[in-house]
């Protein structure tokens, strides 16, 4: 809630005498006191609310019939809604998200996600807006209504039972698994590396009766997660999915969970466990390393200049933003040859599990991650410069960042 600073008001006796009785004076709630939200009319979001000062990004809006994507155009992947208070009303900003990175093994340059602003609306409590502009992009328009936000539970429901741990590897032993009392539904797994190699990355599968997902813990060959003989403690957040419906909130805290230790990739590039997971991890490393090799010269160039121009930071940001993220087909083919057991048929290709599609996708994630991490650092520098331009030492920031990347440390 925005903090209000008290202000001393001095009135003359005449002004007080002319003022209407307190009960008759109009009092207007501040936006925060109003606690507004947006209801989305219709399926599939029935019962869901967009909180003001928050937003929504969804890829599940239905497309209009007979609307075909133009050839060679970036794929429309999501609709994005961002909201904030503006006086006693709500500002609603509509954007669409395009992504040229799918299919990952298609030829041609790829740059990834681009957000395009479409329209902006202003609505007060009780008013509705129809996002008709979505039709321009082949997406069925949606209607939002500004309402009072429904109460949200303050606490996350605890899991009904402690998750089970299944270890499929010989390289590690489970020596502990306990709940972290400092956070709801976070458990810590203690693993002992009993192999003679450093473990640089691991994969786990979180399984419940409603499905599951894969969790990957990434280190680097130069900086393993667990050295030979060491014990490492890893936190796992078992998410409770909550859904708001017109009848109230539902959640899946009662579902039993199982954490499966599936794959370990060692610092020499060998692995134990699932080939598909190991291949994806190694492909991601390859993309990250290649993108780092592109970023480093861009960082070193300003350092080599006798003086740094005022526009040097802006130029660096533009150069990093323009880096491509597509995987080199030759590098993908070389890596695929090292994993002959990966699927190579049409059914696997349609599911995105074909060796070339899988490795291209993961290598692309490495390219994307390295680029976005560098951009995150550059945005930090921009904020620092804006706060204190005279104290901002761009050369020192660059030098420290270059040294960290050269040593293979965190970006």
């Amino acid at each position: 809630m925005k903090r209000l600073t008290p202000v001393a008001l001095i009135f003359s006796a005449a002004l007080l005498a002319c003022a209407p009785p307190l009960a008759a004076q109009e009092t207007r709630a501040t936006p925060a006191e109003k606690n507004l939200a947006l209801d989305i009319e219709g399926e599939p979001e029935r019962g869901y609310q967009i909180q003001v000062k928050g937003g929504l990004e969804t890829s599940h809006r239905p497309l209009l019939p007979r609307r075909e994507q133009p050839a060679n155009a970036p794929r429309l992947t999501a609709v994005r809604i961002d909201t904030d208070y503006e006086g006693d009303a709500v500002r609603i900003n509509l954007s669409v998200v395009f992504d040229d990175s799918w299919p990952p093994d298609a030829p041609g340059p790829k740059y990834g996600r681009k957000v395009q602003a479409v329209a902006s609306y202003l609505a007060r409590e009780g008013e509705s807006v129809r996002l008709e502009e979505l039709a321009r992009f082949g997406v069925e328009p949606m209607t939002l209504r500004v309402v009072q936000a429904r109460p949200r539970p303050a606490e996350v429901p605890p899991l009904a039972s402690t998750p089970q741990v299944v270890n499929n590897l010989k390289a590690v032993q489970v020596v502990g698994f306990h709940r972290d009392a400092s956070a709801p539904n976070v458990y810590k797994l203690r693993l002992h590396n009993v192999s003679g190699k450093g473990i640089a990355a691991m994969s786990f599968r979180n399984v419940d009766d409603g499905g599951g997902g894969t969790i990957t813990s990434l280190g680097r060959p130069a900086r393993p997660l667990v050295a030979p003989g060491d014990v490492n403690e890893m936190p796992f957040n078992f998410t409770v999915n909550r859904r708001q419906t017109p009848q109230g909130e539902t959640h899946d805290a009662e579902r039993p969970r199982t954490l499966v230790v599936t794959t370990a990739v060692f610092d020499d590039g060998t692995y134990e466990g699932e080939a598909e997971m190991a291949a994806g991890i190694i492909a991601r490393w390859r993309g990250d390393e290649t993108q780092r090799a592109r970023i480093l010269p861009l960082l070193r160039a300003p350092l080599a200049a006798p003086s740094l121009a005022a526009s040097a930071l802006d130029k660096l940001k533009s150069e990093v933003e323009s880096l491509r993220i597509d995987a080199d087909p030759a590098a993908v083919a070389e890596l695929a040859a090292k994993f002959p057991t990966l699927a190579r048929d049409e059914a696997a290709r349609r599911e995105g599990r074909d060796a070339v599609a899988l490795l291209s996708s993961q290598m692309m994630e490495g390219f994307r991650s390295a680029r976005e991490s560098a951009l995150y650092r550059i945005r930090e520098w921009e904020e620092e410069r804006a706060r204190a331009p005279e104290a901002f030492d761009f050369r020192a920031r660059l030098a420290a960042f270059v040294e960290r990347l050269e040593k293979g440390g965190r970006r």
Side-chain angles (χ1 to χ4, degrees), residues 174-217:
V174 176
V175 295
F177 184 68
H178 64 276
R179 184 176 177 273
D180 182 0
S182 65
N185 298 328
V186 172
Y187 288 76
K188 289 189 174 179
L189 177 68
R190 288 175 59 82
L191 293 174
H192 180 202
N193 180 3
V194 295
S195 76
K197 304 175 183 181
I199 297 176
M202 296 193 71
S203 279
F204 308 84
R205 187 167 292 112
N206 176 14
V207 181
D208 61 46
D209 62 8
T214 298
I215 305 159
T216 300
S217 184

Side-chain angles (χ1 to χ4, degrees), residues 149-369:
R150 287 188 286 271
R152 301 185 64 171
E155 296 183 358
V156 175
L159 298 182
S161 58
T162 300
Q164 300 298 306
V165 178
V166 175
N167 180 18
N168 290 342
L169 304 181
K170 296 178 181 178
V172 295
Q173 291 178 347
V174 176
V175 295
F177 184 68
H178 64 276
R179 184 176 177 273
D180 182 0
S182 65
N185 298 328
V186 172
Y187 288 76
K188 289 189 174 179
L189 177 68
R190 288 175 59 82
L191 293 174
H192 180 202
N193 180 3
V194 295
S195 76
K197 304 175 183 181
I199 297 176
M202 296 193 71
S203 279
F204 308 84
R205 187 167 292 112
N206 176 14
V207 181
D208 61 46
D209 62 8
T214 298
I215 305 159
T216 300
S217 184
L218 280 174
R220 293 181 177 279
R223 293 173 178 263
L225 295 174
V226 200
D230 280 1
V231 173
N232 191 16
E233 190 171 72
M234 302 180 183
F236 292 88
N237 184 6
F238 292 86
T239 304
V240 173
N241 295 311
R242 304 196 298 191
R243 188 168 65 90
Q244 196 68 246
T245 71
Q247 292 74 38
E249 187 188 63
T250 63
H251 57 76
D252 62 354
E254 71 285 350
R255 285 181 175 172
R257 268 77 167 174
T258 301
L259 182 67
V260 184
V261 187
T262 64
T263 310
V265 183
F266 303 105
D267 52 7
D268 63 355
T270 60
Y271 71 96
E272 180 190 1
E274 298 179 359
E276 184 174 322
M277 295 308 306
I281 289 169
I282 294 171
R284 185 162 179 159
W285 279 340
R286 187 77 57 86
D288 183 279
E289 291 164 1
T290 305
Q291 192 74 292
R292 278 181 178 228
R294 297 173 180 172
I295 292 171
L296 275 167
L298 301 179
L299 298 172
R300 293 188 187 113
L303 287 175
S307 62
L308 287 173
S311 60
L313 180 56
D314 301 325
K315 180 174 183 289
L316 175 63
K317 182 180 180 181
S318 176
E319 290 171 338
V320 175
E321 284 178 332
S322 66
L323 291 172
R324 291 165 51 168
I325 62 169
D326 45 302
D328 177 15
V332 171
E334 176 191 348
L335 189 54
K338 299 178 181 179
F339 292 90
T341 61
L342 293 185
R344 287 176 171 81
D345 56 40
E346 186 58 34
R349 181 178 177 79
R350 285 195 300 270
E351 296 172 6
R353 297 180 61 253
D354 169 75
V356 172
L358 167 71
L359 297 176
S360 298
S361 174
Q362 291 303 308
M363 201 173 289
M364 183 184 298
E365 282 306 307
F367 280 110
R368 192 196 314 266
S369 175

